[in-house]
Amino acid sequence: MDQYKMLPILFIIIVGFEKRSSKLVENCKQYANDYEVLNQFPFPMMVNPMLHSWDSNIATMDKTNTFVSSLTLANTDSIVPESIFCLNKLVTLTIRNMAFTDGIVPDTMMNLQRLYSIDIINSSITNLTNHFASLTRLYSLNLNNCSLSHVPSLNNMPDLRHVYLENNRLSQIEGFRSDVDCLHISNNLFTKIPTFTTPTSLAILRMNNNPLKDISTLDSFTYLAMLELRNTTLAFIPSTIDKLQRLSHLDLSYNKLISLPKSIFKIKSLQYLYINNNLFSSDEVKRIQMEFNKTHPNITLSI
């Protein structure tokens, strides 16, 4: 009996592959369907597998089994084939431990107008297409450990909410819309907090392990619920921090703080505060503990 007859919708096929030159200029019109695109990849693909593995190359088809809706590439010995940009019905794209030709994410990425989420992880990128902002349906962007020193403006992406740009070489970002509510940019080279058009929606900001010098704009992020500035060389906290009245989680550990502003005790929503491994004197430690015992008796305090 055919072992796949029991799987009319979810089926597994290891598509054939043929090695093509990475310099080949792809012409999407040569492919009759998405299966033909997958078939020419220079590595095997699993289509609609029953079980997913983080280190496998997987394509998930739409409900009609006609178009690829989700694609995961995780082949450490291969170059990302540019023909992936012919899969113009893609909704989610994950590329892990693979390289782009010459380190360039090409302009042809703009063909993927239905993309909802992009995850590119552990891939050295020297140039990210300036047409990136044309992906106007994008909700989640993750470019982790990609050696990026520049990211094109993300200001014209109306649906973008979650941005993960950790473990890169970024020192600035040209700007965000007010709609972004989650920004992870730890382990970069930022000296100040990125600029938002109107920072009304940002709820989570993680900037650990950056050489911060200026956080004076922090008080404009009034929707912040989680703020992490661990190991960022901070020597003081602005007295206006009490404007963050939604803040519940604050990490200021491993810095150069010698005191906390009195205004921090006015943040009524604060539940978790990490200020260990700073330069507080024993008297300052006692003062902080006493004040929080009065104002926040149930707070989780690490000092």
Side-chain angles (χ1 to χ4, degrees):
M1 180 181 291
D2 189 335
Q3 61 180 320
Y4 298 118
K5 285 186 177 180
M6 299 300 292
L7 301 172
I9 301 299
L10 289 176
F11 59 93
I12 302 176
I13 52 177
I14 305 297
V15 299
F17 60 94
E18 50 186 323
K19 295 183 178 179
R20 304 277 182 93
S21 170
S22 62
K23 296 182 180 180
L24 180 66
V25 178
E26 298 291 346
N27 181 357
C28 296
K29 292 182 179 179
Q30 68 184 292
Y31 305 118
N33 52 54
D34 283 6
Y35 290 98
E36 287 194 5
V37 176
L38 297 177
N39 191 65
Q40 65 78 47
F41 285 178
F43 41 76
M45 292 290 302
M46 290 193 296
V47 179
N48 286 349
M50 293 289 289
L51 297 176
H52 285 217
S53 174
W54 71 273
D55 59 349
S56 297
N57 301 310
I58 296 172
T60 302
M61 309 303 290
D62 67 349
K63 293 180 179 180
T64 66
N65 282 320
T66 304
F67 303 107
V68 178
S69 63
S70 178
L71 184 69
T72 297
L73 301 181
N75 193 308
T76 55
D77 297 324
S78 296
I79 299 292
V80 176
E82 191 169 347
S83 56
I84 67 171
F85 304 118
C86 294
L87 302 172
N88 59 14
K89 301 296 191 298
L90 265 183
V91 177
T92 63
L93 173 63
T94 299
I95 297 172
R96 189 183 296 112
N97 301 319
M98 294 183 69
F100 290 86
T101 301
D102 298 324
I104 298 173
V105 179
D107 293 348
T108 46
M109 175 170 269
M110 66 185 296
N111 293 339
L112 308 182
Q113 288 297 307
R114 297 193 180 191
L115 273 181
Y116 180 85
S117 69
I118 297 175
D119 292 90
I120 302 177
I121 303 167
N122 299 333
S123 176
S124 182
I125 297 174
T126 58
N127 187 21
L128 186 64
T129 173
N130 287 324
H131 295 290
F132 203 79
S134 68
L135 304 176
T136 55
R137 296 187 184 184
L138 199 65
Y139 179 90
S140 177
L141 170 63
N142 182 6
L143 303 174
N144 190 326
N145 195 27
C146 293
S147 303
L148 286 168
S149 58
H150 172 73
V151 173
S153 176
L154 305 175
N155 200 33
N156 296 318
M157 305 177 80
D159 292 343
L160 190 62
R161 297 292 182 274
H162 296 172
V163 178
Y164 306 89
L165 300 172
E166 296 177 304
N167 302 300
N168 285 291
R169 302 170 184 170
L170 298 169
S171 59
Q172 63 180 6
I173 301 176
E174 293 182 20
F176 290 98
R177 293 173 59 94
S178 61
D179 309 299
V180 172
D181 57 34
C182 179
L183 177 60
H184 292 217
I185 49 176
S186 294
N187 300 301
N188 277 284
L189 300 173
F190 290 96
T191 58
K192 61 182 181 179
I193 296 173
T195 303
F196 281 65
T197 49
T198 49
T200 56
S201 298
L202 191 67
I204 298 174
L205 176 60
R206 301 183 65 185
M207 291 191 69
N208 302 317
N209 303 313
N210 279 281
L212 289 176
K213 296 179 180 179
D214 182 7
I215 61 170
S216 59
T217 60
L218 192 60
D219 59 11
S220 62
F221 295 85
T222 55
Y223 274 64
L224 275 179
M226 175 182 287
L227 174 62
E228 294 188 359
L229 301 176
R230 182 173 62 254
N231 190 31
T232 51
T233 72
L234 290 176
F236 75 97
I237 302 300
S239 60
T240 53
I241 194 171
D242 61 327
K243 291 186 178 181
L244 308 183
Q245 284 298 319
R246 297 172 184 252
L247 194 63
S248 63
H249 177 112
L250 177 59
D251 190 345
L252 300 171
S253 60
Y254 293 90
N255 279 297
K256 299 178 180 180
L257 300 173
I258 60 173
S259 65
L260 292 181
K262 294 181 179 180
S263 56
I264 199 170
F265 304 109
K266 298 179 181 179
I267 305 176
K268 298 178 180 180
S269 57
L270 196 58
Q271 299 178 33
Y272 301 91
L273 176 62
Y274 304 92
I275 50 176
N276 51 289
N277 296 88
N278 276 282
L279 302 178
F280 301 123
S281 67
S282 57
D283 287 341
E284 180 65 8
V285 169
K286 291 178 182 179
R287 183 188 77 86
I288 292 171
Q289 290 174 329
M290 288 180 60
E291 286 297 323
F292 276 116
N293 282 336
K294 295 176 184 177
T295 59
H296 299 71
N298 298 317
I299 194 172
T300 297
L301 176 63
S302 178
I303 189 171

